[in-house]
Amino acid sequence: MTLADTRTEDRYRTRTPHPLDPVERADPAVWGRVDGPLDPAALAAHDARGYSVFDTLLSPGEVRTYREELSRLADHLRGDERTIVEKSSAEVRSLFEVHKISDLVAELVRDPRVLDRARQVLGSEVYVHQSRVNFMPGFKGKGFYWHSDFETWHAEDGMPAPRAVSMSIALTDNYPFNGGLMVMPGSHRTFVPCVGETPEDHYRASLTEQEIGVPSREHITALAAAHGVDQFTGPAGSALLFDSNLMHGSGNNITPFPRSNVFVVFNSVENPLVEPFAAPAPRPGFIAARQFAPLTR
Ligand code: 6CS
Ligand code: FE
């Protein structure tokens, strides 16, 4: 399948010169229609909160294998465009397209423990829109400011609707103090437009420190007042499945303990990318897949 030819209406306007008011999400958070491992209560909780936590999705032995392979690959691929280094050090911040670089991750994205949950929530066949490891190294791991992934994927990748989910699997123990991911439960139901036009080749800056495509402090304050902040913590092997429009962020890691997670973003095959809604050109395929086939086990 390739880039959809038809330009769909823009129901989530963002990256404008002047502020726009937040809009209520025009799409469901749980599409249902597909059976899977989540029982009705778990699905309802995911629909309400915009995320689900799975304490031991993978075993410690599996995770150790992933961690060792992905650290080796990141070092081996230094200088490759898929490797993003920290702004203030030479530490590797992220490695993208890991489902194509690592045979282990290629299997992981098809693992029923992962794939069946994504299919069930999105209510359709799915494909990998993006995969990455965020290493969040000890002492020098810089956080990620508050943002909605969908806001970027809509503006810069041409994702029409927030019919995508991220599965974040902890490769190291995620503590409250080593840059654990913070989320605002229920914030996925509100789309928060951002001010500021997208510069050319924006991803080179945004993946290191995002400044365009982040909500205003006013909107973040209002969302926090309405929803509060939860934090994803758990041992290596635990996982967070979260909605593409959930407001999230993480702090800097000044502890000796790295907080490395592998992220797989599943998009519904019924939500193929079109032209970017608010960017001069589409981002490279290693950040946003445009050629894809539905994932099979
Ligand atoms: O731009 C993106 O696609 C990436 N940016 C962030 C901050 N989170 C999601 C994604 O990895
Ligand atoms: Fe994000």
Side-chain angles (χ1 to χ4, degrees), residues 160-213:
R163 192 171 181 182
V165 282
S166 293
M167 178 69 91
S168 170
I169 301 172
L171 299 175
T172 60
D173 292 342
N174 280 216
Y175 302 108
F177 45 72
N178 68 334
L181 199 59
M182 298 177 287
V183 297
M184 294 189 190
S187 61
H188 62 305
R189 296 202 168 285
T190 304
F191 179 76
V192 179
C194 300
V195 174
E197 293 189 343
T198 309
E200 285 201 21
D201 288 339
H202 179 228
Y203 69 93
R204 295 189 194 285
S206 71
L207 295 177
T208 304
E209 187 171 23
Q210 187 171 6
E211 291 176 355
I212 297 287

Side-chain angles (χ1 to χ4, degrees), residues 132 147 149 248:
R132 68 194 186 275
H147 65 283
D149 292 340
H248 64 288

Side-chain angles (χ1 to χ4, degrees), residues 96 130 132 144 147 149 152-153 207 210 248 283 287:
F96 279 83
Q130 177 186 108
R132 68 194 186 275
F144 292 79
H147 65 283
D149 292 340
T152 291
W153 298 340
L207 295 177
Q210 187 171 6
H248 64 288
R283 299 196 298 178
I287 298 179

Side-chain angles (χ1 to χ4, degrees), residues 128-144:
V128 178
H129 166 70
Q130 177 186 108
S131 70
R132 68 194 186 275
V133 177
N134 284 348
F135 287 94
M136 187 69 80
F139 296 113
K140 294 189 173 176
K142 289 284 177 274
F144 292 79

Side-chain angles (χ1 to χ4, degrees), residues 10-16 18-26 148 150-151 184 186-195 214-224 226-227 245 247:
D10 188 356
R11 295 175 297 145
Y12 298 100
R13 287 186 60 220
T14 188
R15 307 282 173 106
T16 51
H18 306 292
L20 295 176
D21 290 335
V23 296
E24 281 312 296
R25 175 196 191 108
S148 151
F150 172 67
E151 192 279 342
M184 294 189 190
S187 61
H188 62 305
R189 296 202 168 285
T190 304
F191 179 76
V192 179
C194 300
V195 174
V214 293
S216 69
R217 288 187 175 181
E218 177 201 353
H219 288 149
I220 291 170
T221 303
L223 277 182
H227 302 291
N245 189 46
M247 194 60 67

